[in-house]
Amino acid sequence: MAALDATHDPARRSWVASANDPGGDFPIQNLPLAAFRRAGTREPLRGGVAIGTEVLDLGALNALQPFEGGAAQALAAAAQPTLNALMGEGAALRVALRAALSEALRTGGALEARVRALLVPQSAVEYGLPAEVGDYTDFYASIHHATAVGRLFRPDNPLLPNYKWLPIAYHGRASSLRVSGHGVERPLGQVLAPGAQRPQLIPTRRLDYELEVGVFIGRGNELGKPVPLAQAEQHVFGLCLLNDWSARDVQSWEYQPLGPFLAKNFLTTVSPWVVTLEALAPFRVPWIRPSEEPPPLAYLDEAGVRRAGAFDLELEVWLDTARMRASGAPPQRLSHANFRDSWWTVSQMVTHHTVNGCNLRPGDLLGSGTQSGPKPEEAGSLLELSAGGKRPLTLTGGESRTFLEDGDRVVFRAWCARAGFARIGFGELSGTVVPAVAPAAAPAPPQ
Amino acid sequence: MAALDATHDPARRSWVASANDPGGDFPIQNLPLAAFRRAGTREPLRGGVAIGTEVLDLGALNALQPFEGGAAQALAAAAQPTLNALMGEGAALRVALRAALSEALRTGGALEARVRALLVPQSAVEYGLPAEVGDYTDFYASIHHATAVGRLFRPDNPLLPNYKWLPIAYHGRASSLRVSGHGVERPLGQVLAPGAQRPQLIPTRRLDYELEVGVFIGRGNELGKPVPLAQAEQHVFGLCLLNDWSARDVQSWEYQPLGPFLAKNFLTTVSPWVVTLEALAPFRVPWIRPSEEPPPLAYLDEAGVRRAGAFDLELEVWLDTARMRASGAPPQRLSHANFRDSWWTVSQMVTHHTVNGCNLRPGDLLGSGTQSGPKPEEAGSLLELSAGGKRPLTLTGGESRTFLEDGDRVVFRAWCARAGFARIGFGELSGTVVPAVAPAAAPAPPQ
């Protein structure tokens, strides 16, 4: 767990006035990182750090060579088109960069005059993926989600016997990862209608979101070298929001016996800003395995995890329909959850993933799996909120939803808050559903 | 399907004498590609083409600028440390390079004097992965394998209802792909012993191989742009051998409901040589869906696939145990199969993979899934050959096997043969099992 230091001091203020808004996502205590360029340009992507409503251009800052030592080395890495190099440097250099950036941006800091010219309004930038993701792994770490979904697919056997013993996961698709704002084209897929004898290829009728936390890997591990639990967080860079867009009708037809494939790999989106473990340090909470439940095996159990392995991180899903926008009605919050309710922690995911020697590389992405809380209104997908499509949600304004309709805009938000500390926000992750493109005319089947 | 031309002429001979051995894998009609360097050096990897027992160094050849037009452009791409750039160029440039290389290597070709100095014996090189693999997808395209494995896991329901309708697949791990020869360290994993109440973390006791054909993607497709079946092979570069090493005891405990994960991602190996679609053109055979079976949906059915969508490709598994090596006994063939028996073709895999808009990138790798034929001795894994470990195989020399033991060396071979054409071989894919490394001492569990 990262130590608390002057960068966490809630009294520290920034000369960037918008950073001192107590309700904002990006105070000087946060300093999340993204890959960005000015919108509409062909500039190379480079690292940026959010401060209030601005982005500090780390490419331009690096050209000034304002730092020394580890912070200078980390800044050079952060000036690249992706954050992979910075991620691979590990925690010590990341901490040095954080301290130097906090000093540069704090009220009274000596660099204000030189740095002020390097700010770009967030409203005037576009983002790339934070990292080139070598492999994307999606976990299933919320027992509330696993139980609710299991009940829909297997009413008599909702939670499989392995669930409480190991962090279930599968490999996702890296090529179709995109950053927030990418359009969500309704995918085609094979679907077997209830009672039908043969499947059809149709645009999915059960398009869903999944509210997840994304985890970017920092330092990697070599093939054949498992990461012990006590060291797992040394391999984590930071967290973001992740939407594992899902086609439920495709999923239920295709997923046995090898798991989800085309139901998930048409698009996965992440928020542009990655909040580092250091920024999250004040919000670590105990990971609790209820005493009536079996303790995990030794390799997944460790005092530090029990003391502060979880994150007190609030998560929200908002829906903004085409009709809401047309009528000027505000978006509606569909659900909220907290990452602290996850059955497995980030460090347990890392250790389990590597226990067989599997190697993680800097910039690899883990999804937490849909984060649903214990209460019905804390469900992180429409599949759960609508009970598999059987109980439509009534929206303000009279609309209803079982699954997503064309024009629906889904927004995730997340933040940490604790008395005596600055609020740490994640910004937004959004995507709007666009209609399926009609399939190219199929050739006539052969005789 | 690639057209036949002078490069396929069985009468064409090479001035590289070993290429004219009729039993060899690499005649002048083959010309497979790899990434290589001289063994034990720190030279950069670069493309090479196999000819007889030699490798023609395409990096050195490119420095001579011997070709013009498309062949020159393709050669420059092939001189890179991986074949991704060449793969991304598509079929026309690959065909031009093949024609130019065949001309350079044929008896009587004008370039012999300049090219002879650029040969390196295969015995003196080491290989890299042919491509940097962005995403690796593993299919399940042999109905004989799916039925046999299904019978072990679900005796009353061996083949799930979706199998005959869609090419089942899951995403594999790209980071742990390695080229032939990499040691196979027996992985640790969670296993639930029969009748046990809690799982244990132990070295797998059911280590297995899976005999697969690997498919390297050539030209990619954009996100949101499905590849129609009639165009699918325009996105395929060539084929190799693939071993999807598997820990069966880990797999049976972890795989529900999201599919295999740690049971597979500790290592996947591929053969160094990629045989292009052009080299395989004489060996294309009809893809047959038996008339009593349902025809596929229209997007997976097309006259060209029915006419010549399959590959007549012989596949073999050989086992060489430590005791065989010590006693001077030869390796033993465990099974053989033919890729023509696959329920789904390569082009159907590509089209299904992209029907939802999922994007493939040059150098992406598809695995065919274990290729088992209709007869018991054609099973492509020990899981099948030993009936789930219940019927040990007796080896020559008196040893027996249910699953792999430390010291076992597994070798895959493959080739195409047809009267009137040169034999096209794939070379070997091999790996030797090494003992598990003891896990680091686990910290004492917290109170």
Side-chain angles (χ1 to χ4, degrees):
Chain A
M1 266 38 87
L4 298 188
D5 59 30
T7 65
H8 300 95
D9 180 356
R12 182 168 282 201
R13 293 172 65 85
S14 175
W15 50 260
V16 180
S18 59
N20 303 318
D21 170 1
D25 276 343
F26 304 125
I28 192 169
Q29 292 81 7
N30 191 345
L31 303 177
L33 293 139
F36 85 104
R37 66 179 148 224
R38 285 181 298 167
T41 71
R42 299 193 157 245
E43 294 173 350
L45 292 164
R46 64 274 193 185
V49 65
I51 182 74
T53 58
E54 308 288 315
V55 181
L56 171 57
D57 183 337
L58 296 181
L61 185 65
N62 183 52
L64 298 184
Q65 299 273 309
F67 304 149
E68 294 184 341
Q73 186 178 334
L75 179 60
Q80 303 299 315
T82 67
L83 299 175
N84 293 74
L86 179 65
M87 291 168 170
E89 294 283 14
L93 289 195
R94 192 171 73 232
V95 167
L97 179 61
R98 173 179 170 85
L101 290 171
S102 182
E103 176 63 24
L105 291 165
R106 76 173 175 85
T107 301
L111 290 174
E112 177 180 345
R114 296 168 74 196
V115 170
R116 186 176 284 281
L118 310 182
L119 298 178
V120 186
Q122 285 164 29
S123 58
V125 309
E126 62 189 32
Y127 299 99
L129 278 179
E132 183 179 338
V133 176
D135 280 288
Y136 157 47
T137 303
D138 202 16
F139 282 84
Y140 197 54
S142 162
I143 197 169
H144 308 296
H145 171 71
T147 305
V149 171
R151 193 173 290 127
L152 297 172
F153 285 80
R154 297 171 303 275
D156 52 336
N157 187 22
L159 199 68
L160 294 168
N162 57 13
Y163 189 88
K164 291 183 175 177
W165 292 99
L166 54 79
I168 296 283
Y170 67 101
H171 290 119
R173 182 86 193 168
S175 72
S176 51
L177 285 163
R178 293 293 183 272
V179 76
S180 177
H182 198 278
V184 184
E185 195 175 294
R186 183 179 296 276
L188 295 178
Q190 268 200 33
V191 170
L192 186 72
Q197 291 299 307
R198 56 185 263 139
Q200 308 166 270
L201 182 73
I202 56 169
T204 177
R205 294 168 177 153
R206 296 186 150 219
L207 183 62
D208 202 355
Y209 58 81
E210 290 200 333
L211 173 65
E212 300 198 20
V213 176
V215 180
F216 277 101
I217 296 297
R219 200 151 55 77
N221 66 299
E222 282 176 45
L223 185 64
K225 303 287 186 198
V227 175
L229 190 59
Q231 295 166 30
E233 289 200 3
Q234 296 174 28
H235 295 268
V236 175
F237 179 82
L239 309 187
C240 67
L241 285 163
L242 185 149
N243 191 337
D244 178 26
W245 302 94
S246 299
R248 301 299 185 186
D249 40 7
V250 176
Q251 186 177 353
S252 61
W253 172 234
E254 76 169 2
Y255 91 105
Q256 286 190 311
L258 300 183
F261 181 51
L262 299 187
K264 303 275 196 173
N265 69 7
F266 58 93
L267 184 69
T268 305
T269 52
V270 294
S271 56
W273 295 108
V274 186
V275 178
T276 64
L277 282 195
E278 289 69 48
L280 297 168
F283 310 98
R284 305 304 300 269
V285 290
W287 170 75
I288 295 166
R289 177 60 56 99
S291 58
E292 68 273 20
E293 299 286 0
L297 297 189
Y299 78 102
L300 293 175
D301 204 350
E302 190 262 336
V305 172
R306 291 194 175 244
R307 189 174 61 242
F311 295 85
D312 181 7
L313 172 59
E314 292 286 335
L315 305 164
E316 282 185 340
V317 180
W318 294 75
L319 179 66
D320 184 27
T321 72
R323 197 198 290 184
M324 289 174 186
R325 289 194 297 277
S327 66
Q332 177 172 348
R333 193 175 79 163
L334 292 186
S335 70
H336 63 99
N338 192 305
F339 192 31
R340 69 187 300 164
D341 289 326
S342 181
W343 184 257
W344 298 107
T345 69
V346 169
S347 51
Q348 288 165 328
M349 295 178 206
V350 167
T351 290
H352 183 65
H353 201 320
T354 64
V355 73
N356 67 346
C358 182
N359 57 321
L360 307 178
R361 294 177 291 188
D364 279 357
L365 179 63
L366 313 183
S368 66
T370 307
Q371 290 298 312
S372 300
K375 299 177 193 162
E377 66 272 24
E378 294 174 335
S381 68
L382 284 172
L383 181 69
E384 294 158 83
L385 289 172
S386 74
K390 291 194 283 287
R391 283 203 309 264
L393 280 74
T394 302
L395 305 179
T396 53
E399 289 183 276
S400 70
R401 286 291 180 279
T402 49
F403 294 96
L404 294 172
E405 298 191 2
D406 294 347
D408 284 355
R409 180 169 182 260
V410 178
V411 180
F412 293 172
R413 295 209 183 97
W415 71 91
C416 297
R418 176 182 162 197
F421 288 91
R423 178 182 184 280
I424 299 295
F426 278 59
E428 279 189 4
L429 168 58
S430 73
T432 302
V433 179
V434 299
V437 173
Q447 298 306 307
Chain B
M1 266 39 87
L4 298 189
D5 59 30
T7 65
H8 300 95
D9 180 356
R12 182 168 283 201
R13 292 171 67 85
S14 174
W15 50 260
V16 180
S18 60
N20 304 319
D21 171 0
D25 276 343
F26 304 126
I28 192 169
Q29 292 80 7
N30 192 344
L31 303 177
L33 294 138
F36 85 102
R37 66 180 147 223
R38 284 182 298 168
T41 71
R42 300 193 156 245
E43 293 173 351
L45 292 164
R46 65 274 191 184
V49 64
I51 181 74
T53 58
E54 309 290 312
V55 182
L56 170 56
D57 183 337
L58 297 181
L61 185 64
N62 183 52
L64 298 185
Q65 300 274 308
F67 303 150
E68 294 183 342
Q73 185 178 334
L75 179 60
Q80 304 299 315
T82 67
L83 299 174
N84 293 75
L86 179 64
M87 290 168 170
E89 295 283 13
L93 288 195
R94 191 171 72 232
V95 168
L97 180 61
R98 173 179 170 86
L101 289 172
S102 182
E103 177 62 25
L105 290 165
R106 76 173 175 86
T107 301
L111 290 174
E112 176 180 344
R114 295 168 74 196
V115 170
R116 186 176 285 281
L118 311 182
L119 298 178
V120 186
Q122 285 165 28
S123 59
V125 310
E126 61 190 33
Y127 299 100
L129 277 179
E132 183 179 337
V133 177
D135 280 288
Y136 156 48
T137 302
D138 202 16
F139 282 83
Y140 197 54
S142 162
I143 198 168
H144 309 295
H145 172 71
T147 305
V149 171
R151 194 172 290 128
L152 296 172
F153 285 81
R154 299 172 301 276
D156 52 335
N157 187 22
L159 198 68
L160 294 168
N162 56 14
Y163 189 87
K164 291 183 176 177
W165 292 99
L166 54 80
I168 296 283
Y170 67 101
H171 291 120
R173 182 86 193 168
S175 72
S176 51
L177 286 163
R178 294 291 184 275
V179 76
S180 177
H182 199 277
V184 185
E185 196 175 292
R186 183 179 296 276
L188 295 178
Q190 268 199 34
V191 170
L192 187 72
Q197 290 299 306
R198 58 185 260 138
Q200 308 166 268
L201 181 72
I202 57 169
T204 178
R205 292 166 178 154
R206 296 186 150 220
L207 183 62
D208 202 355
Y209 59 81
E210 290 199 334
L211 172 64
E212 302 198 18
V213 176
V215 179
F216 277 100
I217 296 297
R219 201 153 51 78
N221 65 299
E222 283 176 45
L223 185 63
K225 303 287 186 199
V227 176
L229 190 59
Q231 295 165 31
E233 289 201 5
Q234 296 174 29
H235 295 267
V236 175
F237 178 83
L239 308 186
C240 66
L241 285 163
L242 185 149
N243 191 336
D244 178 27
W245 301 95
S246 299
R248 301 300 184 187
D249 40 6
V250 176
Q251 185 176 353
S252 60
W253 172 234
E254 77 170 1
Y255 91 105
Q256 286 189 310
L258 300 183
F261 180 51
L262 299 186
K264 304 274 197 175
N265 69 7
F266 57 95
L267 184 68
T268 305
T269 52
V270 294
S271 57
W273 295 107
V274 186
V275 179
T276 64
L277 283 195
E278 288 70 48
L280 296 168
F283 310 98
R284 304 305 299 270
V285 290
W287 170 75
I288 295 166
R289 176 61 54 101
S291 57
E292 69 273 20
E293 299 287 358
L297 296 189
Y299 78 103
L300 293 175
D301 204 349
E302 190 261 338
V305 172
R306 291 194 175 243
R307 191 173 58 244
F311 295 85
D312 181 7
L313 172 59
E314 292 286 336
L315 305 164
E316 284 185 338
V317 180
W318 293 75
L319 179 66
D320 183 26
T321 71
R323 197 199 289 184
M324 289 174 186
R325 289 193 296 277
S327 66
Q332 178 173 348
R333 194 176 80 162
L334 292 187
S335 70
H336 62 98
N338 192 304
F339 192 30
R340 69 187 298 164
D341 289 327
S342 182
W343 184 257
W344 298 108
T345 68
V346 169
S347 51
Q348 288 167 328
M349 295 178 207
V350 167
T351 290
H352 183 64
H353 202 319
T354 64
V355 72
N356 66 346
C358 181
N359 57 321
L360 306 178
R361 296 176 290 188
D364 281 357
L365 179 64
L366 313 183
S368 66
T370 307
Q371 289 299 312
S372 299
K375 300 176 192 161
E377 67 271 25
E378 295 174 335
S381 68
L382 285 172
L383 181 69
E384 293 157 84
L385 289 173
S386 74
K390 291 194 282 289
R391 283 203 309 263
L393 280 76
T394 301
L395 305 179
T396 53
E399 289 184 274
S400 70
R401 286 291 180 280
T402 48
F403 294 95
L404 294 171
E405 298 190 2
D406 294 346
D408 283 355
R409 180 169 182 261
V410 178
V411 180
F412 293 172
R413 295 208 182 96
W415 71 90
C416 297
R418 177 182 163 198
F421 289 91
R423 178 183 184 279
I424 298 295
F426 278 59
E428 279 189 4
L429 168 58
S430 72
T432 303
V433 179
V434 299
V437 173
Q447 298 306 307

